[in-house]
Amino acid sequence: MKTLAKLPVTIVTGFLGSGKTTLLRHMLDNAEGRRIAVIVNEFGELGIDGDILKQCTIGCTEEEALGRVYELANGCLCCTVQEEFFPVMQELVARRGDLDHILIETSGLALPKPLVQAFQWPEIRNACTVDAVITVVDSPAVLAGTFAAFPDQVDAQRKLDPNLDHESPLHELFADQLASADLVVLNKADMLDAAALAAVRAEVTEELPPAVKVVEASKGQLPISVLLGLGAESELHIDGRKTHHDHHEGDDADDHDHDAFDSISINLPQADESLLLDALTQAVVQHGILRVKGFAAIPGKPMRLLVQGVGTRFDKHFDRAWKTDEVRETRLVLIGQELDAAVLEAQLRAALGTQG
């Protein structure tokens, strides 16, 4: 009797603000009938990316959509891979007859190599294979030499840190994400001219293993045939991919560079939109905040405002109506280094004219 073929898994990695969630949404919107499960890993206490992805029901009811998205919410996948990740994969393996593909979105600070190595475990490798590791690159940020958009604050902190005397942790993370890649997406290509894009491609290619394909995209829009069905079987050769963090294996496995990054959650009351964005911009500049993600309640507006910021650049739009049983409040996740939640909350409340 023929056994079931291994369930293909695509791992999407990339730095903060590179466009991973946008790419996943595009893949789900263009699934062409594929039955896809999504594991979302958000570096923060609030599963904001998971909430965004749950809107992509593609004809499903909300209850069905909730059953399709598996969310790991307590840290980066490389740290929780032996805890939450395994039971989630067990559940998906048990349902593999109902699935055609699994997508995993790592946090912007997670390292893909340990996650791929988890697919070497007998309980997983017998049922699943890593179809490909897709690394999404913020092309304008690479051209600027920052790797993530607007990381000036982090670079300043790097220069003040005597323990970082040569390479920025951002560059090491970026290089490690490329080192594990089977496909690299140069995203935001529409923001660069041909010469600039060629320079980015050349720089990225220097970091890549031979034969890794590099494609260009705007807003993560690529044919699904380019992204799925690569058949790389990444788990079979990942051990040969050398990264900056290989020395952490063994006794120092939990000693990741990205432990230096903090992720804090702040709840605020309803807030005027312009006041909130001004306050967040000021906080980003003063405290070296890398990323802001969350939802805001705007007085008099029936819709919830989705806010996503990388450095001082913010994108916002009203994503859906508030539900009748929801508390109309503002919930934010801030990612940076040496962040003080109490200080930041007090500063934001003062700027918004509210009290704790």
Side-chain angles (χ1 to χ4, degrees):
M1 181 177 177
K2 186 177 180 180
T3 58
L4 283 172
K6 288 187 178 182
L7 186 60
V9 179
T10 296
I11 297 170
V12 180
T13 189
F15 213 80
L16 298 169
S18 60
K20 299 185 304 297
T21 300
T22 302
L23 179 73
L24 259 71
R25 292 185 70 165
H26 178 72
M27 293 168 77
L28 293 174
D29 284 338
N30 296 276
E32 298 177 353
R34 294 175 179 84
R35 300 164 299 173
I36 300 175
V38 184
I39 299 177
V40 179
N41 172 228
E42 176 54 37
F43 194 91
E45 295 176 23
L46 304 178
I48 286 171
D49 279 350
D51 208 353
I52 294 170
L53 283 165
K54 286 167 190 168
Q55 299 169 31
C56 302
T57 54
I58 319 174
C60 301
T61 65
E62 183 172 351
E63 290 74 17
E64 289 171 334
L66 289 174
R68 295 170 47 163
V69 180
Y70 293 82
E71 192 172 335
L72 308 181
N74 65 341
C76 59
L77 272 177
C78 58
C79 299
T80 62
V81 74
Q82 296 184 26
E83 298 169 16
E84 281 191 88
F85 174 73
F86 185 63
V88 170
M89 285 302 301
Q90 278 186 310
E91 183 175 347
L92 291 177
V93 166
R95 295 175 55 184
R96 66 194 266 219
D98 301 323
L99 299 173
D100 298 312
H101 211 99
I102 298 173
L103 296 179
I104 300 176
E105 179 191 1
T106 71
S107 86
L109 300 177
L111 303 175
K113 184 173 181 178
L115 175 59
V116 177
Q117 288 172 322
F119 284 84
Q120 299 169 349
W121 300 344
E123 298 90 338
I124 298 179
R125 74 182 182 203
N126 292 333
C128 299
T129 183
V130 179
D131 184 61
V133 175
I134 299 176
T135 298
V136 184
V137 171
D138 186 323
S139 299
V142 172
L143 182 69
T146 57
F147 311 108
F150 304 107
D152 298 342
Q153 311 93 324
V154 176
D155 193 54
Q157 290 173 336
R158 175 187 69 82
K159 291 173 182 175
L160 293 172
D161 190 337
N163 297 316
L164 301 175
D165 56 2
H166 62 298
E167 269 191 308
S168 163
L170 298 185
H171 180 263
E172 291 188 357
L173 286 166
F174 178 74
D176 285 0
Q177 289 169 351
L178 290 176
S180 301
D182 300 298
L183 174 70
V184 175
V185 176
L186 301 184
N187 204 23
K188 307 181 185 178
D190 55 319
M191 298 171 65
L192 300 177
D193 61 26
L197 200 55
V200 171
R201 179 183 285 268
E203 181 170 350
V204 166
T205 302
E206 287 182 5
E207 302 271 8
L208 291 175
V212 172
K213 188 175 182 181
V214 179
V215 297
E216 300 164 6
S218 301
K219 299 181 176 62
Q221 296 180 3
L222 287 166
I224 196 75
S225 58
V226 172
L227 301 167
L228 301 184
L230 276 67
E233 296 182 303
S234 310
E235 70 277 8
L236 300 182
H237 54 76
I238 191 65
D239 292 340
R241 302 283 187 96
K242 301 304 179 186
T243 72
H244 292 281
H245 295 76
D246 287 342
H247 64 278
H248 286 148
E249 295 173 3
D251 294 340
D252 296 327
D254 294 326
D255 185 21
H256 297 305
D257 278 357
H258 59 262
D259 283 345
F261 291 89
D262 298 319
S263 177
I264 63 172
S265 300
I266 293 178
N267 282 27
L268 300 168
Q270 298 186 63
D272 176 81
E273 181 178 333
S274 61
L275 279 179
L276 176 63
L277 292 175
D278 287 345
L280 287 173
T281 301
Q282 186 71 17
V284 164
V285 173
Q286 289 184 0
H287 299 276
I289 297 169
L290 275 174
R291 188 77 186 267
V292 177
K293 309 178 78 170
F295 303 112
I298 310 300
K301 299 291 186 181
M303 303 283 285
R304 187 180 69 173
L305 185 70
L306 169 65
V307 177
Q308 300 192 76
V310 180
T312 54
R313 183 181 66 196
F314 285 89
D315 294 319
K316 58 184 175 61
H317 68 270
F318 290 100
D319 67 327
R320 66 166 174 81
W322 288 98
K323 298 176 183 177
T324 55
D325 58 346
E326 278 186 299
V327 177
R328 289 175 59 100
E329 63 178 358
T330 298
R331 298 187 300 146
L332 302 168
V333 170
L334 311 179
I335 300 172
Q337 292 180 307
E338 298 181 4
L339 301 182
D340 187 314
V343 168
L344 279 163
E345 181 172 347
Q347 178 178 330
L348 291 172
R349 285 182 176 273
L352 297 173
T354 64
Q355 298 179 347

